[in-house]
CSV table of all heavy atoms in Angstrom, one decimal:
chain,number,residue,atom,x,y,z
M,23,ASP,N,3.0,71.5,31.1
M,23,ASP,CA,3.2,72.9,30.7
M,23,ASP,C,2.2,73.4,29.6
M,23,ASP,O,2.3,74.5,29.2
M,23,ASP,CB,4.7,73.2,30.2
M,23,ASP,CG,5.6,72.9,31.3
M,23,ASP,OD1,5.3,73.1,32.5
M,23,ASP,OD2,6.7,72.5,31.0
M,24,TYR,N,1.4,72.5,29.1
M,24,TYR,CA,0.5,72.9,28.1
M,24,TYR,C,-0.7,73.6,28.6
M,24,TYR,O,-1.0,73.5,29.8
M,24,TYR,CB,0.0,71.6,27.3
M,24,TYR,CG,-0.1,71.7,25.8
M,24,TYR,CD1,1.0,71.6,25.0
M,24,TYR,CD2,-1.3,72.0,25.2
M,24,TYR,CE1,1.0,71.8,23.7
M,24,TYR,CE2,-1.3,72.1,23.9
M,24,TYR,CZ,-0.2,72.0,23.1
M,24,TYR,OH,-0.2,72.2,21.8
M,25,GLU,N,-1.4,74.3,27.7
M,25,GLU,CA,-2.6,75.1,28.2
M,25,GLU,C,-3.6,74.1,28.8
M,25,GLU,O,-4.0,73.1,28.2
M,25,GLU,CB,-3.2,75.8,26.9
M,25,GLU,CG,-2.3,76.9,26.4
M,25,GLU,CD,-2.2,78.0,27.3
M,25,GLU,OE1,-3.1,78.4,28.0
M,25,GLU,OE2,-1.1,78.6,27.3
M,26,PRO,N,-4.2,74.4,29.9
M,26,PRO,CA,-5.2,73.6,30.6
M,26,PRO,C,-6.4,73.4,29.7
M,26,PRO,O,-7.1,72.4,29.8
M,26,PRO,CB,-5.5,74.2,31.9
M,26,PRO,CG,-4.4,75.2,32.1
M,26,PRO,CD,-3.8,75.5,30.8
M,27,SER,N,-6.8,74.5,29.0
M,27,SER,CA,-8.0,74.4,28.2
M,27,SER,C,-7.9,73.4,27.0
M,27,SER,O,-8.9,73.0,26.5
M,27,SER,CB,-8.3,75.8,27.6
M,27,SER,OG,-7.3,76.2,26.8
M,28,TYR,N,-6.7,73.1,26.7
M,28,TYR,CA,-6.5,72.1,25.5
M,28,TYR,C,-6.8,70.6,25.9
M,28,TYR,O,-7.0,69.8,25.1
M,28,TYR,CB,-5.2,72.2,24.9
M,28,TYR,CG,-4.9,71.5,23.7
M,28,TYR,CD1,-5.5,71.7,22.5
M,28,TYR,CD2,-4.1,70.3,23.7
M,28,TYR,CE1,-5.3,71.0,21.4
M,28,TYR,CE2,-3.8,69.5,22.6
M,28,TYR,CZ,-4.5,69.9,21.5
M,28,TYR,OH,-4.2,69.2,20.3
M,29,ASP,N,-6.7,70.3,27.2
M,29,ASP,CA,-6.9,69.0,27.7
M,29,ASP,C,-5.9,68.0,27.1
M,29,ASP,O,-6.2,67.0,26.5
M,29,ASP,CB,-8.3,68.5,27.4
M,29,ASP,CG,-8.6,67.2,28.1
M,29,ASP,OD1,-8.0,66.9,29.2
M,29,ASP,OD2,-9.4,66.4,27.6
M,30,PHE,N,-4.6,68.3,27.2
M,30,PHE,CA,-3.5,67.6,26.7
M,30,PHE,C,-3.5,66.1,27.2
M,30,PHE,O,-3.4,65.1,26.5
M,30,PHE,CB,-2.2,68.2,26.9
M,30,PHE,CG,-1.0,67.6,26.2
M,30,PHE,CD1,-0.7,68.0,24.9
M,30,PHE,CD2,-0.2,66.6,26.8
M,30,PHE,CE1,0.4,67.4,24.2
M,30,PHE,CE2,0.8,66.0,26.2
M,30,PHE,CZ,1.2,66.4,24.9
M,31,HIS,N,-3.6,66.1,28.5
M,31,HIS,CA,-3.6,64.7,29.2
M,31,HIS,C,-4.7,63.8,28.8
M,31,HIS,O,-4.6,62.7,28.6
M,31,HIS,CB,-3.5,64.9,30.7
M,31,HIS,CG,-2.2,65.4,31.2
M,31,HIS,ND1,-2.1,66.5,31.9
M,31,HIS,CD2,-0.9,65.0,31.0
M,31,HIS,CE1,-0.9,66.8,32.2
M,31,HIS,NE2,-0.1,65.9,31.7
M,32,GLY,N,-5.9,64.4,28.7
M,32,GLY,CA,-7.1,63.6,28.2
M,32,GLY,C,-6.9,63.1,26.8
M,32,GLY,O,-7.2,62.0,26.5
M,33,LYS,N,-6.5,64.0,25.9
M,33,LYS,CA,-6.2,63.6,24.5
M,33,LYS,C,-5.1,62.5,24.5
M,33,LYS,O,-5.2,61.6,23.7
M,33,LYS,CB,-5.9,64.8,23.7
M,33,LYS,CG,-7.1,65.7,23.5
M,33,LYS,CD,-6.8,66.9,22.6
M,33,LYS,CE,-8.0,67.7,22.5
M,33,LYS,NZ,-7.8,68.7,21.5
M,34,LEU,N,-4.1,62.7,25.2
M,34,LEU,CA,-3.0,61.7,25.3
M,34,LEU,C,-3.5,60.3,25.7
M,34,LEU,O,-3.2,59.3,25.1
M,34,LEU,CB,-1.9,62.2,26.2
M,34,LEU,CG,-0.7,61.3,26.4
M,34,LEU,CD1,0.0,61.1,25.2
M,34,LEU,CD2,0.2,61.8,27.5
M,35,ARG,N,-4.3,60.4,26.8
M,35,ARG,CA,-4.8,59.1,27.3
M,35,ARG,C,-5.7,58.4,26.3
M,35,ARG,O,-5.6,57.2,26.1
M,35,ARG,CB,-5.5,59.4,28.6
M,35,ARG,CG,-6.0,58.1,29.3
M,35,ARG,CD,-6.8,58.3,30.5
M,35,ARG,NE,-7.3,57.1,31.0
M,35,ARG,CZ,-7.1,56.6,32.2
M,35,ARG,NH1,-6.2,57.2,33.0
M,35,ARG,NH2,-7.6,55.5,32.5
M,36,ARG,N,-6.6,59.1,25.7
M,36,ARG,CA,-7.5,58.6,24.7
M,36,ARG,C,-6.8,58.0,23.5
M,36,ARG,O,-7.1,56.9,23.0
M,36,ARG,CB,-8.6,59.6,24.2
M,36,ARG,CG,-9.6,59.9,25.2
M,36,ARG,CD,-10.8,60.7,24.7
M,36,ARG,NE,-10.3,62.1,24.4
M,36,ARG,CZ,-10.2,63.1,25.3
M,36,ARG,NH1,-10.5,62.9,26.5
M,36,ARG,NH2,-9.9,64.3,24.9
M,37,LEU,N,-5.7,58.7,23.1
M,37,LEU,CA,-4.9,58.2,22.0
M,37,LEU,C,-4.2,56.9,22.3
M,37,LEU,O,-4.2,56.0,21.5
M,37,LEU,CB,-3.9,59.2,21.6
M,37,LEU,CG,-3.1,58.9,20.3
M,37,LEU,CD1,-3.9,58.9,19.1
M,37,LEU,CD2,-2.0,60.0,20.2
M,38,PHE,N,-3.7,56.8,23.5
M,38,PHE,CA,-3.0,55.6,23.9
M,38,PHE,C,-4.0,54.4,24.2
M,38,PHE,O,-3.8,53.3,23.8
M,38,PHE,CB,-2.2,55.8,25.1
M,38,PHE,CG,-0.7,56.2,24.8
M,38,PHE,CD1,-0.4,57.5,24.4
M,38,PHE,CD2,0.3,55.3,24.9
M,38,PHE,CE1,0.9,57.9,24.1
M,38,PHE,CE2,1.6,55.7,24.5
M,38,PHE,CZ,1.9,57.0,24.2
M,39,GLU,N,-5.2,54.8,24.7
M,39,GLU,CA,-6.2,53.7,24.9
M,39,GLU,C,-6.7,53.2,23.6
M,39,GLU,O,-7.1,52.1,23.5
M,39,GLU,CB,-7.3,54.3,25.7
M,39,GLU,CG,-7.0,54.4,27.2
M,39,GLU,CD,-8.1,54.9,28.0
M,39,GLU,OE1,-9.1,55.4,27.5
M,39,GLU,OE2,-7.9,54.9,29.3
M,40,LYS,N,-6.8,54.1,22.5
M,40,LYS,CA,-7.3,53.7,21.2
M,40,LYS,C,-6.4,52.6,20.6
M,40,LYS,O,-6.8,51.8,20.0
M,40,LYS,CB,-7.4,54.9,20.4
M,40,LYS,CG,-8.0,54.6,19.0
M,40,LYS,CD,-8.1,55.8,18.1
M,40,LYS,CE,-6.7,56.0,17.4
M,40,LYS,NZ,-6.7,57.0,16.4
M,41,ASN,N,-5.1,52.9,20.8
M,41,ASN,CA,-4.1,51.9,20.2
M,41,ASN,C,-3.7,50.8,21.2
M,41,ASN,O,-2.7,50.1,20.9
M,41,ASN,CB,-2.8,52.7,19.8
M,41,ASN,CG,-3.1,53.7,18.8
M,41,ASN,OD1,-3.9,53.4,17.9
M,41,ASN,ND2,-2.5,54.9,18.8
M,42,ARG,N,-4.4,50.7,22.3
M,42,ARG,CA,-4.0,49.7,23.2
M,42,ARG,C,-4.1,48.2,22.8
M,42,ARG,O,-3.2,47.4,23.2
M,42,ARG,CB,-5.0,49.9,24.4
M,42,ARG,CG,-5.0,48.9,25.5
M,42,ARG,CD,-6.1,49.3,26.4
M,42,ARG,NE,-6.1,48.4,27.6
M,42,ARG,CZ,-6.8,48.7,28.7
M,42,ARG,NH1,-7.6,49.7,28.7
M,42,ARG,NH2,-6.7,47.9,29.7
M,43,ASN,N,-5.0,47.9,21.9
M,43,ASN,CA,-5.2,46.6,21.5
M,43,ASN,C,-4.5,46.2,20.2
M,43,ASN,O,-4.9,45.2,19.6
M,43,ASN,CB,-6.7,46.2,21.4
M,43,ASN,CG,-7.3,46.3,22.7
M,43,ASN,OD1,-6.8,46.0,23.7
M,43,ASN,ND2,-8.5,46.9,22.7
M,44,LEU,N,-3.5,47.0,19.7
M,44,LEU,CA,-2.8,46.7,18.5
M,44,LEU,C,-1.9,45.5,18.7
M,44,LEU,O,-1.3,45.3,19.8
M,44,LEU,CB,-1.9,47.9,18.1
M,44,LEU,CG,-2.6,49.2,17.7
M,44,LEU,CD1,-1.6,50.2,17.3
M,44,LEU,CD2,-3.5,49.0,16.5
M,45,THR,N,-1.9,44.6,17.7
M,45,THR,CA,-1.1,43.4,17.8
M,45,THR,C,-0.1,43.3,16.7
M,45,THR,O,0.9,42.7,16.8
M,45,THR,CB,-2.0,42.2,17.7
M,45,THR,OG1,-2.8,42.2,16.6
M,45,THR,CG2,-2.9,42.0,19.0
Side-chain angles (χ1 to χ4, degrees):
D23 297 328
Y24 220 81
E25 295 291 324
S27 62
Y28 184 71
D29 187 31
F30 188 88
H31 289 124
K33 291 181 181 191
L34 175 66
R35 182 181 175 120
R36 284 189 294 277
L37 184 65
F38 270 78
E39 284 179 352
K40 183 182 88 170
N41 294 325
R42 171 185 190 169
N43 297 320
L44 293 179
T45 54

